[in-house]
Amino acid sequence: MCRLVLTGIEKIYKDKKQEKKAVQNLTVHFEHGVYGLLGENGAGKTTLMRMIVGILKPTQGQITYDEVPIRQLGGAYRSLLGYLPQDFGYYKDFSAVRFLNYIAALKAIAPQTAKERIDRLLETVGLADARNKKLKTFSGGMLRRIGIAQALLNEPQILILDEPTAGLDPRERVRFRNIISALGKDRIVILSTHIVSDVEYIADQIMIMKQGALIKTGTQAQILEPVAGCVWKCSVPECEAEALNAAYAVSNLRGGEHSGQVELRIVSQEKPHSDAAAVEPVLEDAYLYYYLCERSHHRGTWDQKGGTI
């Protein structure tokens, strides 16, 4: 079983005025399965992805594959990678099959092998009937599926997907998740996103990233366990809803059309309202808990956005 290990990884960007630590002292290991990397835009996810694929060099720390530094492996490591960047480039006037043949040639895949893999992958991503259509006629979802196909052409052991469902409609997002779920059985799949539902149903391990650091990792059960007893539901008048929304981390807010009441789902260690009832947490609640409501390491109190003020 392949094993990818990041040890003490940091990436610092410097300019004349200041330096920014985009990724800080990150240690983590990956084996077969789907890893969901959650974090808001600017959390350092893309920088981390680019270091894993070798586009960026860490300022500090080391990345190894089966105990060998990836810089030492060179081309042998790149042959193990499949990568779908957030901004996926393609030739608009190429057909799907011509584009995949072009990528196969860049990856030095023999023509007959490429043909067999392209036919199979077009079936896998549901684009066999569109194989001869030009990419400029494709929808956003179809282009992301072609992106997955090109990333899989070399049958990679490590598949890196950076914000793969950005801009997709709900139906395409579900289709995409189903494809990714099947891919994690015999390889490492690392999926970076700020959309919680993208990883909720498919990730074997969830990693929450904030300001360049991993603040929580584990299975979904492990992520949810500390949040039990910290999620509440209540229905209140609109004027009270505004005050609660300002004082607490609200994961969902829904107004009744005629009742004048607003239903809130609140993440808080303390009971936020006398009529609030505790409910089972879901991953989106946990994301808020760790991201906005984590206890201060210095004060032992809640962040202002998450609970007690």
Side-chain angles (χ1 to χ4, degrees):
M1 181 180 291
C2 58
R3 183 177 171 89
L4 181 69
V5 179
L6 284 63
T7 306
I9 293 297
E10 292 194 348
K11 183 62 181 178
I12 300 173
Y13 293 106
K14 297 181 180 180
D15 59 28
K16 294 180 180 179
K17 296 182 179 179
Q18 60 182 356
E19 66 177 37
K20 178 185 176 182
K21 192 174 286 188
V23 174
Q24 47 182 312
N25 195 27
L26 191 150
T27 296
V28 64
H29 75 272
F30 303 94
E31 295 178 354
H32 286 176
V34 178
Y35 295 80
L37 181 60
L38 281 173
E40 67 181 12
N41 293 332
K45 304 188 302 298
T46 294
T47 297
L48 177 60
M49 296 288 203
R50 288 177 176 173
M51 286 192 288
I52 291 174
V53 300
I55 295 173
L56 292 177
K57 184 178 180 180
T59 306
Q60 185 172 309
Q62 184 170 253
I63 302 174
T64 62
Y65 178 79
D66 284 349
E67 301 183 355
V68 181
I70 63 171
R71 292 283 168 181
Q72 184 176 323
L73 288 170
Y77 176 69
R78 289 191 293 274
S79 70
L80 300 169
L81 289 171
Y83 180 41
L84 176 59
Q86 184 173 358
D87 298 316
F88 170 54
Y90 59 93
Y91 293 100
K92 295 181 179 181
D93 287 320
F94 278 22
S95 67
V97 70
R98 183 184 177 191
F99 176 72
L100 292 176
N101 271 306
Y102 168 72
I103 297 296
L106 292 180
K107 294 185 177 185
I109 300 171
Q112 185 56 38
T113 302
K115 181 182 183 307
E116 293 170 359
R117 290 183 186 175
I118 289 168
D119 289 344
R120 185 178 72 249
L121 286 170
L122 286 172
E123 289 285 351
T124 299
V125 300
L127 291 173
D129 291 341
R131 61 184 293 120
N132 295 314
K133 292 183 179 180
K134 291 188 176 181
L135 297 183
K136 65 182 178 182
T137 68
F138 279 22
S139 67
M142 293 169 74
L143 287 171
R144 299 311 279 179
R145 281 186 271 152
I146 280 292
I148 277 283
Q150 64 82 28
L152 290 169
L153 274 170
N154 58 324
E155 298 186 337
Q157 289 297 304
I158 304 169
L159 181 60
I160 307 295
L161 308 169
D162 192 1
E163 298 284 355
T165 64
L168 301 191
D169 62 37
R171 183 179 177 182
E172 285 286 2
R173 183 171 286 120
V174 171
R175 181 198 290 267
F176 205 88
R177 288 203 303 260
N178 291 341
I179 293 171
I180 294 166
S181 180
L183 294 173
K185 295 176 182 177
D186 57 358
R187 56 173 57 85
I188 296 170
V189 179
I190 307 174
L191 187 161
S192 162
T193 184
H194 63 280
I195 302 170
V196 175
S197 61
D198 281 353
V199 301
E200 186 169 13
Y201 302 107
I202 64 171
D204 301 298
Q205 293 281 325
I206 295 166
M207 306 156 61
I208 300 177
M209 194 170 188
K210 178 181 179 182
Q211 295 177 353
L214 287 179
I215 59 175
K216 188 68 177 180
T217 63
T219 64
Q220 182 160 308
Q222 291 169 335
I223 295 287
L224 291 177
E225 185 179 4
V227 189
C230 296
V231 183
W232 310 83
K233 206 170 188 179
C234 61
S235 185
V236 299
E238 290 182 6
C239 58
E240 291 186 40
E242 292 179 7
L244 288 169
N245 195 29
Y248 293 92
V250 175
S251 62
N252 193 37
L253 184 151
R254 182 174 60 187
E257 292 185 14
H258 307 294
S259 65
Q261 296 286 106
V262 178
E263 185 179 273
L264 297 96
R265 188 179 181 95
I266 297 171
V267 182
S268 171
Q269 278 194 325
E270 298 178 353
K271 190 173 183 176
H273 190 273
S274 59
D275 293 333
V279 294
E280 288 293 316
V282 296
L283 188 57
E284 192 169 59
D285 301 320
Y287 179 67
L288 280 176
Y289 177 88
Y290 295 113
Y291 217 86
L292 300 177
C293 311
E294 62 180 343
R295 283 185 174 275
S296 165
H297 296 297
H298 305 292
R299 294 180 288 120
T301 56
W302 277 62
D303 184 281
Q304 186 173 355
K305 294 181 180 178
T308 305
I309 294 181

